[in-house]
């Protein structure tokens, strides 16, 4: 499972209007919980994991008056996302995009620059400074909301009891609690059926963590897996001058996103210079005297092929991290690949123990984990927290970006749902043309007929600012909007968001500018 793939599940959820009323009532009847319990007394909640699921859980619980503790084994809050994932990768993506723009992309604007250079050491220092500042900020929020922060590894020893094993060693400290929330996140997955030994220190066969810390720009990079992580990291190094080849088992990139969008996205990446080897099964990736060697077989049969590169990135998705959690101590059920099994209210099979984020089913996305964390904190405070899994966006932060929310066209066909399609290309958008940045489109999928005729079912975007633009679509879907609701809403001119409006108009009628 790539981090972008969403496993849909049915949840009971109020209508948009009742949801708004429920939130208002929840604020009015919010309970006052005990604060300032003496050391050694029982916590209301202990959160195991301080990543993008765990730390918002702890903060929200503190805001709601709970006595709460958070245990983080990394010694820095923010989890994979902030330390070795979302944030450092976005720093590299933005900086490398600026470099490529200066070196190659200013021509249409009449700007030229000679001798453009990349100081990789300074770039890596900027990345590190960004991470350090943000992790420190979370610690400040913990102090503000009176969250007890423990640096160590949390192990469930019994219902209501968590052993905190300090990072620096020494005896474990036992924390007693009414509720335990598992938010241990995920780690990079291996390559199924292949011998790929990752050694980030050697910087030849690396995972996503190692690829963020290369000390020199490789001449050649092989990426195993055409998912979000592989394409983002491949884009960083391609912009800096690396020859990038992506090897993918399937016949398409980015599994889980709309097929039309995926095909267009691949064309854009190829135009930028990224190479693809589709339909290949990796057999092995090895370090041969400081060079990477990859052996692969065509999925459809044929002769074995070998590729060589300075660096090979293994980017085949992620798996839940539950090592040392102590699930077996209390009988918490684990499913496929170590995933913690939960019900629709985040409860495990053991009373008082809950789980969220990458450790459970659904999309492996930081913002999904955060929403679940806030929801479980509200539930345990007696409020009505919930998550609408049909309105969780996904973004690929290449240039252009790719963003989606809701159903794909393939899912609607498979479910037998009657739908209509509306699209609008950025080549017909005045702002995109003025910026000479017109690759991409907006695609709407809406209900065709019935009581919910015209309701938005899915939105898919390729654009330089797709990750920001998708928020309008998420809000629309959260409140059950129709395409006509969006099409009749005034959008400022000239903006790229006008393409969003015109794609909506295309779905229920006709756009003005195409």
């Amino acid at each position: 499972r790539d981090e972008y793939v969403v496993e849909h599940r049915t949840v009971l959820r109020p209508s948009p209007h009742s949801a708004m009323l429920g939130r208002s009532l929840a604020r009015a009847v919010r309970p006052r919980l005990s604060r300032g319990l003496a050391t050694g007394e029982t916590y209301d909640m202990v959160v195991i994991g301080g990543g993008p699921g765990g730390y918002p859980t702890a903060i929200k619980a503190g805001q709601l008056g709970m006595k709460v503790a958070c245990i983080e084994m990394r010694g820095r809050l923010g989890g994979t996302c902030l330390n070795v994932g979302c944030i450092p990768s976005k720093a590299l993506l933005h900086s490398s995009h600026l470099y490529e723009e200066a070196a190659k992309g200013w021509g249409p604007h009449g700007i030229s620059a000679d001798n453009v250079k990349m100081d990789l050491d300074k770039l890596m220092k900027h990345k590190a400074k960004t991470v350090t500042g943000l992790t420190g900020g979370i610690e400040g929020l913990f102090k503000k909301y009176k969250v007890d922060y423990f640096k160590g590894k949390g192990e469930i020893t019994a219902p209501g009891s968590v052993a905190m094993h300090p990072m620096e060693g020494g005896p474990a400290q036992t924390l007693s609690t009414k509720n335990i929330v598992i938010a241990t996140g995920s780690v990079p997955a291996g390559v199924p059926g292949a011998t790929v030994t990752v050694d980030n220190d050697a910087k030849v066969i690396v995972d996503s963590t190692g690829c963020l810390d290369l000390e020199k720009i490789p001449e050649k990079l092989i990426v195993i897996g055409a998912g979000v992580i592989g394409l983002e990291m491949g884009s960083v190094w391609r912009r800096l001058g690396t020859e990038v080849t992506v090897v993918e088992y399937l016949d398409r990139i980015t599994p889980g996103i709309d097929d039309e969008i995926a095909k267009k996205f691949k064309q854009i990446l190829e135009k930028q210079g990224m190479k693809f080897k589709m339909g290949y099964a990796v057999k092995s990736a090895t370090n041969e005297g400081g060079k990477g060697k990859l052996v692969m077989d065509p999925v459809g049969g044929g002769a074995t092929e070998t590729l060589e590169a300075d660096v090979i990135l293994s980017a085949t998705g992620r798996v839940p991290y539950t090592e040392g959690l102590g699930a077996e101590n209390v009988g918490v059920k684990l499913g496929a690949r170590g995933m913690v099994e939960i019900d629709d209210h985040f409860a495990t099979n053991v009373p008082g123990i809950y789980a969220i984020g990458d450790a459970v089913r659904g999309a492996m996305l930081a913002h999904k984990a955060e929403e679940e964390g806030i929801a479980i904190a509200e539930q345990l405070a007696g409020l009505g927290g919930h998550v609408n899994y049909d309105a969780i966006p996904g973004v690929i932060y290449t240039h252009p970006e790719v963003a989606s929310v809701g159903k794909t066209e393939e899912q609607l066909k498979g479910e037998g749902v009657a739908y209509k399609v509306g699209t609008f290309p950025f080549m017909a958008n005045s702002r995109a043309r003025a910026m000479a940045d017109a690759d991409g489109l907006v695609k709407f999928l809406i209900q065709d007929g019935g009581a919910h005729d015209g309701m938005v079912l899915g939105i898919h975007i390729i654009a330089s600012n797709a990750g920001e633009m998708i928020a309008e679509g998420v809000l629309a879907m959260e409140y059950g909007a129709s395409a006509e609701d969006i099409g009749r809403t005034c959008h400022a001119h000239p903006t790229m968001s006008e393409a969003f409006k015109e794609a909506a108009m295309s779905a229920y009628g006709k756009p003005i500018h195409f």
Side-chain angles (χ1 to χ4, degrees):
R1 177 176 71 177
D2 191 273
E3 65 176 342
Y4 201 87
V5 178
V6 179
E7 296 178 5
H8 290 277
R9 58 187 169 114
T10 302
V11 293
L12 295 176
R13 171 177 174 270
S15 68
H17 297 295
S18 64
M20 286 188 286
L21 177 61
R23 290 165 185 158
S24 299
L25 290 173
R27 287 192 290 270
V29 300
R30 181 171 295 162
R32 294 175 64 89
L33 300 176
S34 59
R35 294 301 299 263
L37 297 178
T39 302
E41 293 195 29
T42 301
Y43 284 98
D44 294 308
M45 177 193 295
V46 170
V47 183
I48 304 176
Y55 83 74
T57 307
I59 288 173
K60 176 54 71 173
Q63 291 173 343
L64 294 173
M66 293 186 186
K67 174 67 175 174
V68 58
C70 182
I71 306 171
E72 170 53 50
M73 61 180 281
R74 196 184 298 270
R76 296 186 307 276
L77 293 165
T80 293
C81 176
L82 204 161
N83 290 279
V84 291
C86 317
I87 303 305
S89 66
K90 301 317 165 278
L92 296 187
L93 280 160
H94 183 68
S95 298
S96 63
H97 175 64
L98 293 178
Y99 170 78
E100 186 173 47
E101 284 285 283
K104 303 176 183 178
W106 289 345
H109 305 287
I111 305 170
S112 61
D114 297 327
N115 201 29
V116 178
K117 295 181 179 180
M118 168 55 69
D119 185 334
L120 188 62
D121 182 61
K122 186 174 288 187
L123 170 59
M124 291 300 178
K125 287 178 179 177
H126 163 67
K127 178 201 70 174
K129 183 179 179 182
T130 302
V131 170
T132 301
L134 290 171
T135 54
I138 300 171
E139 287 196 36
L141 290 170
F142 271 18
K143 292 176 182 177
K144 179 178 180 179
Y145 295 110
K146 298 179 173 59
V147 175
D148 291 342
Y149 173 32
F150 295 91
K151 296 181 180 181
K153 189 174 180 66
E155 178 190 6
I156 304 170
T157 54
S161 182
V162 178
M164 193 286 294
H165 302 276
M167 282 183 60
E168 64 274 13
Q173 178 179 349
T174 298
L175 306 181
S176 296
T177 180
K178 299 173 185 176
N179 299 286
I180 299 169
V181 177
I182 298 167
T184 47
S186 61
V187 293
V191 181
T195 302
V196 178
T197 303
V198 169
D199 183 353
N200 287 331
D201 292 335
K203 302 189 185 303
V204 177
I205 313 296
V206 299
D207 58 20
S208 56
T209 300
C211 204
L212 289 167
D213 281 326
L214 299 181
E215 295 173 348
K216 61 181 180 180
I217 299 171
E219 290 185 17
K220 293 184 178 181
L221 169 68
I222 296 170
V223 178
I224 305 173
V228 178
I229 298 169
L231 298 181
E232 287 186 351
M233 295 311 304
S235 290
V236 167
W237 296 106
R238 182 202 59 75
R239 294 168 186 168
L240 300 182
T242 302
E243 179 185 312
V244 177
T245 301
V246 180
V247 178
E248 170 58 46
Y249 180 86
L250 301 176
D251 61 358
R252 56 159 294 164
I253 68 170
T254 56
I257 75 167
D258 188 89
D259 190 53
E260 179 184 5
I261 297 297
K263 289 177 180 177
K264 178 65 175 176
F265 182 39
K266 181 171 178 285
Q267 291 171 359
I268 292 171
L269 294 175
E270 287 174 326
K271 186 172 69 173
Q272 293 174 350
M274 193 174 287
K275 299 177 181 179
F276 290 89
K277 298 282 287 185
M278 310 302 294
Y280 281 88
V282 172
K283 294 179 65 178
S284 65
T286 53
N287 182 345
E288 304 287 342
K291 292 287 185 180
K293 179 180 178 182
L294 184 138
V295 179
M296 60 187 185
D297 288 334
V299 173
T304 297
E305 297 183 30
T306 301
L307 297 177
E308 295 184 350
D310 302 281
V311 178
I312 298 176
L313 166 61
S314 176
T316 54
R318 301 180 66 83
V319 293
Y321 178 74
T322 52
E323 181 182 339
L325 175 64
E328 69 283 359
N329 295 337
V330 290
V332 170
K333 289 184 180 178
L334 302 181
R337 303 203 293 178
M339 189 178 298
V340 181
E341 294 188 359
I342 58 171
D343 64 14
D344 287 341
H345 300 284
F346 313 109
T348 70
N349 61 301
V350 179
I353 301 180
Y354 304 84
I356 62 167
D358 286 8
V360 304
R361 61 195 178 194
M364 288 190 169
L365 296 167
H367 43 281
K368 174 259 196 183
E370 179 176 350
E371 293 301 313
E372 290 179 332
I374 292 171
I376 187 58
E378 290 178 337
Q379 286 181 22
L380 293 178
L383 307 179
H386 73 276
V387 178
N388 176 11
Y389 289 93
D390 287 328
I392 301 289
V395 183
I396 306 174
Y397 294 91
T398 49
H399 189 93
E401 297 174 347
V402 180
S404 297
V405 64
K407 302 287 189 179
T408 67
E409 195 166 351
E410 292 68 45
Q411 286 173 326
L412 293 176
K413 287 178 180 177
E415 295 169 9
V417 176
Y419 67 94
K420 292 190 287 189
V421 180
T423 61
F424 191 84
F426 281 98
M427 283 298 294
N429 175 264
S430 57
R431 181 69 182 278
R433 293 287 290 271
M435 295 191 302
D437 198 2
D439 279 338
L441 73 157
V442 181
K443 178 176 181 178
F444 266 71
L445 300 170
I446 68 172
Q447 183 81 37
D448 185 14
H452 300 289
D453 183 45
M455 186 174 70
V456 178
L457 302 175
I459 301 172
H460 309 277
I461 308 171
I462 301 176
S464 59
N465 66 338
E468 304 292 342
M469 192 181 299
I470 198 65
E472 181 178 359
V474 176
L475 188 64
M477 291 191 65
E478 180 67 33
Y479 288 98
S482 68
E484 189 170 357
D485 290 330
I486 297 167
R488 293 189 179 277
T489 299
C490 184
H491 288 61
H493 174 79
T495 60
M496 293 184 70
S497 66
E498 288 178 286
F500 192 90
K501 168 191 172 84
E502 297 227 43
M505 295 171 69
S506 175
Y508 70 85
K510 291 185 181 297
I512 297 299
H513 295 98
F514 190 69

